[in-house]
Amino acid sequence: MEKELLIPLHVKYIQCLDKRQDELEYWLTEHLRLNGIYWGLTALDLMNHIDALPREEVISYVKSLQQNNGGFSAHTGHDTHITCTLSAIQVLITLDALEVIDVDKVISYIQSLQNQDGSFRGDAWGEVDSRFAYIALCCCSLLKRLDAIDVEKTVEWILKCKNYDGGFGSRPGSESHSGQIFCCVSALAIADALHHVDTDLLSWWLCERQLKNGGLNGRPQKLEDVCYSWWVLSALSTLGNTHWIDKDKLIRFILSAQDPEKGGISDRPGDMVDVFHTLFGLTGLSLLGYPGLKSVDPVYCMPTYVLQRIGLRPSVE
């Protein structure tokens, strides 16, 4: 079991991701290409190695993915989606390059996805999910255009996703899930509506996600997974209750999921690593105060200094 974070190996792993074009996995994950850039860039930034990726190439590629409707696609030739649009905004704001895209068209695209009941579709095909409500609020907040959507209606819809156990599901009537809880709690935080959350009840449900090996799961009776180090811990952080879990055991679990030879972090020890779990292992460690990592914001999943730079978080004198 690794006892420390292998930062140089993780940096090298992320740098090599775009050079593995002879592997089937590279082509099977084309629909995650833009999200992958956000995961990789954010991970590198948290490890103080944002310059490990070619800045101008990244900006040029992201810019090329904005389509006529204002949204962004995952890769050339793909349809636009709200998740890809958020990743594009996060990458460009992190790189201080938002001016290369048409922000007004992005806002129009987000507006076009809101339903009358306040919920949001992910794309033109109509899937509704509380993830998309969070993403819409997040996009508009980062672009300082929350006035462009009906925030009050969205809050009303999110509250319909709230369950008796204090958690939130993907839509009204769906079971509580850690990932959806992150989305709904963060959305309510952006909308200044956290008072609707039963903090103690929800925090208890979240801290119950920790298993004996220190890892966290997404819902009862499921296996531990490194990515829930983010989904669970971020919500607990927003609610002010990260001390409700055993931090040391969670740190040891995340570190144990590292690949000590090639770098990267997997969902659990012994499995194949990927950039998704690498980022969310690092964000979990950041929230736990692990040394050598930049601070991450629990609502926006971006380095805190970036949000301070654009005025969404107060600067520390």
Side-chain angles (χ1 to χ4, degrees):
M1 181 182 294
E2 295 298 328
K3 296 183 179 180
E4 62 181 30
L5 186 62
L6 307 173
I7 289 180
L9 279 179
H10 298 324
V11 172
K12 188 175 180 180
Y13 163 72
I14 293 170
Q15 283 180 310
C16 291
L17 286 173
D18 201 47
K19 300 174 184 176
R20 298 164 56 183
Q21 298 185 22
D22 58 336
E23 299 178 15
L24 179 62
E25 181 188 3
Y26 180 88
W27 300 105
L28 291 178
T29 56
E30 190 176 88
H31 64 293
L32 298 173
R33 193 75 73 237
L34 181 49
N35 300 127
I37 289 176
Y38 157 68
W39 298 329
L41 182 73
T42 305
L44 289 169
D45 199 0
L46 292 175
M47 293 187 290
N48 296 286
H49 285 276
I50 193 171
D51 294 332
L53 291 183
R55 181 179 184 272
E56 295 307 319
E57 286 183 32
V58 171
I59 293 171
S60 178
Y61 174 69
V62 173
K63 178 184 177 182
S64 75
L65 298 178
Q66 186 172 27
Q67 307 302 314
N68 290 333
N69 64 3
F72 286 78
S73 57
H75 187 56
T76 307
H78 287 244
D79 291 336
T80 56
H81 198 282
I82 198 170
T83 57
C84 302
T85 302
L86 175 58
S87 289
I89 292 169
Q90 290 171 312
V91 167
L92 294 176
I93 287 178
T94 298
L95 294 175
D96 199 14
L98 196 60
E99 72 279 356
V100 304
I101 63 169
D102 190 328
V103 170
D104 288 338
K105 289 183 73 173
V106 175
I107 292 299
S108 295
Y109 174 69
I110 299 296
Q111 288 176 317
S112 74
L113 296 173
Q114 186 165 29
N115 297 314
Q116 287 189 347
D117 63 359
S119 64
F120 279 84
R121 304 182 299 282
D123 57 19
W125 308 107
E127 180 188 7
V128 171
D129 191 298
S130 53
R131 287 177 298 151
F132 308 148
Y134 160 70
I135 289 171
L137 285 166
C138 194
C139 287
C140 291
S141 177
L142 288 169
L143 298 176
K144 301 182 180 179
R145 287 295 309 278
L146 275 173
D147 61 308
I149 58 175
D150 193 330
V151 175
E152 187 175 336
K153 279 264 188 184
T154 301
V155 169
E156 290 175 4
W157 184 82
I158 289 171
L159 294 177
K160 293 177 182 176
C161 300
K162 187 177 175 184
N163 292 318
Y164 70 93
D165 55 16
F168 295 82
S170 59
R171 57 184 62 85
S174 296
E175 68 173 315
S176 296
H177 187 282
S178 300
Q180 310 296 153
I181 289 170
F182 158 76
C183 291
C184 292
V185 168
S186 296
L188 293 174
I190 291 171
D192 196 23
L194 268 180
H195 57 280
H196 291 294
V197 176
D198 187 328
T199 300
D200 286 351
L201 182 62
L202 179 52
S203 296
W204 176 253
W205 189 95
L206 289 166
C207 76
E208 284 286 289
R209 306 280 59 77
Q210 189 164 36
L211 304 179
K212 290 182 179 180
N213 63 5
L216 303 169
N217 62 16
R219 51 199 167 117
Q221 306 303 316
K222 295 295 182 179
L223 292 175
E224 68 284 351
D225 187 319
V226 161
C227 73
Y228 292 113
S229 306
W230 170 255
W231 309 119
V232 172
L233 206 57
S234 57
L236 280 173
S237 179
T238 299
L239 298 174
N241 285 325
T242 54
H243 61 288
W244 284 27
I245 65 164
D246 189 323
K247 296 183 180 181
D248 291 336
K249 287 182 71 173
L250 179 54
I251 288 174
R252 289 197 294 271
F253 171 72
I254 297 171
L255 295 179
S256 73
Q258 298 179 103
D259 184 332
E261 297 179 1
K262 297 182 178 180
I265 301 175
S266 60
D267 58 349
R268 60 186 61 88
D271 285 355
M272 184 180 293
V273 303
D274 59 68
V275 67
F276 174 88
H277 287 92
T278 300
L279 170 63
F280 292 120
L282 291 168
T283 53
L285 290 173
S286 175
L287 288 175
L288 292 166
Y290 191 89
L293 294 177
K294 289 180 180 175
S295 168
V296 68
D297 188 90
V299 171
Y300 293 91
C301 198
M302 296 172 66
T304 304
Y305 84 92
V306 175
L307 299 170
Q308 291 171 339
R309 188 180 68 210
I310 66 173
L312 277 185
R313 290 289 184 256
S315 297
V316 179
E317 297 295 336

